Amino acid sequence: MEISQELIDAINDQINFELYSGYIYLSMATWFEEKNLPGMAHWMEVQADEEYSHAIRFYRHIVERGGRVTMKGIDAPKTEWASPLEVFQDAYNHELTVTERIYKIGAIADKLGDRSTQSMLQWFYNEQTEEEKNTMEIRDMLKMIKDSIPALLQVDAKLGARPAAPAPPLESTAP
């Protein structure tokens, strides 16, 4: 079954949004670098890599189903924050938006009876649960420590230990 134009359009929009997400996280990494918080910068760089790999998953799904991916312009992200807490609050809010967008793609796939897209989206549903949990936990840690510099440096060190994102799989995303 060929993929519908409605799903191609929705997934193309999501590819753009995943690339934009990577820009957001790189902007956050830059801000952390400027604040001499290399662990948090590293965490955001890994997050940016993950977002780019998500874009590739969506890209492959369209291509493997006979659709055409269309690249669009990527908006400039925010570049300034008042605190590490504000950065992670923004990251958490952004992940909530990503989840909502992916659920909308799922609703279209349901409406069209496109089981292949639903199968592909299952990975994203699970991934978004993890993304929301991770950003919420870091945000909540930063809320607890308030203005404690030693505690902030401990969180920074912890986040610096995050392993790099795995490369996207080379196998097909089609079931």
Side-chain angles (χ1 to χ4, degrees):
M1 171 177 168
E2 275 191 36
I3 190 168
S4 75
Q5 190 61 49
E6 184 177 7
L7 272 172
I8 290 171
D9 292 345
I11 295 171
N12 270 318
D13 285 345
Q14 189 61 31
I15 290 169
N16 178 266
F17 201 74
E18 296 290 342
L19 294 172
Y20 173 63
S21 297
Y23 271 34
I24 289 171
Y25 288 121
L26 278 180
S27 184
M28 291 173 171
T30 299
W31 187 86
F32 282 125
E33 289 287 357
E34 290 172 352
K35 303 301 179 204
N36 199 25
L37 293 166
M40 291 183 189
H42 168 77
W43 195 95
M44 291 297 178
E45 289 170 11
V46 172
Q47 193 65 27
D49 284 344
E50 280 192 11
E51 301 307 328
Y52 299 136
S53 74
H54 296 171
I56 293 297
R57 277 183 179 264
F58 281 118
Y59 169 91
R60 286 189 181 142
H61 184 73
I62 290 176
V63 170
E64 290 170 3
R65 302 271 315 277
R68 185 165 199 288
V69 173
T70 53
M71 298 288 105
K72 300 175 184 178
I74 300 170
D75 293 333
K78 180 177 176 178
T79 59
E80 295 297 328
W81 292 267
S83 67
L85 173 58
E86 183 182 351
V87 175
F88 276 97
Q89 182 63 56
D90 280 1
Y92 174 67
N93 290 340
H94 182 75
E95 291 302 335
L96 293 174
T97 300
V98 172
T99 300
E100 182 180 311
R101 292 174 59 91
I102 290 171
Y103 286 171
K104 286 180 182 175
I105 296 169
I108 295 168
D110 278 345
K111 176 184 82 173
L112 298 173
D114 188 320
R115 299 296 172 242
S116 179
T117 297
Q118 274 296 15
S119 177
M120 181 269 302
L121 289 173
Q122 189 60 53
W123 183 89
F124 282 100
Y125 298 148
N126 295 334
E127 176 70 4
Q128 282 310 118
T129 298
E130 180 184 333
E131 300 282 15
E132 289 177 21
K133 174 186 166 285
N134 290 342
T135 53
M136 180 178 59
E137 285 178 351
I138 297 166
R139 178 206 61 191
D140 291 350
M141 271 193 288
L142 293 170
K143 280 182 181 178
M144 282 190 289
I145 67 171
K146 299 187 193 251
D147 294 327
S148 170
I149 299 299
L152 178 65
L153 295 176
Q154 285 182 327
V155 171
D156 185 63
K158 177 181 176 174
L159 297 182
R162 181 182 188 187
L170 297 177
E171 75 275 0
S172 169
T173 60

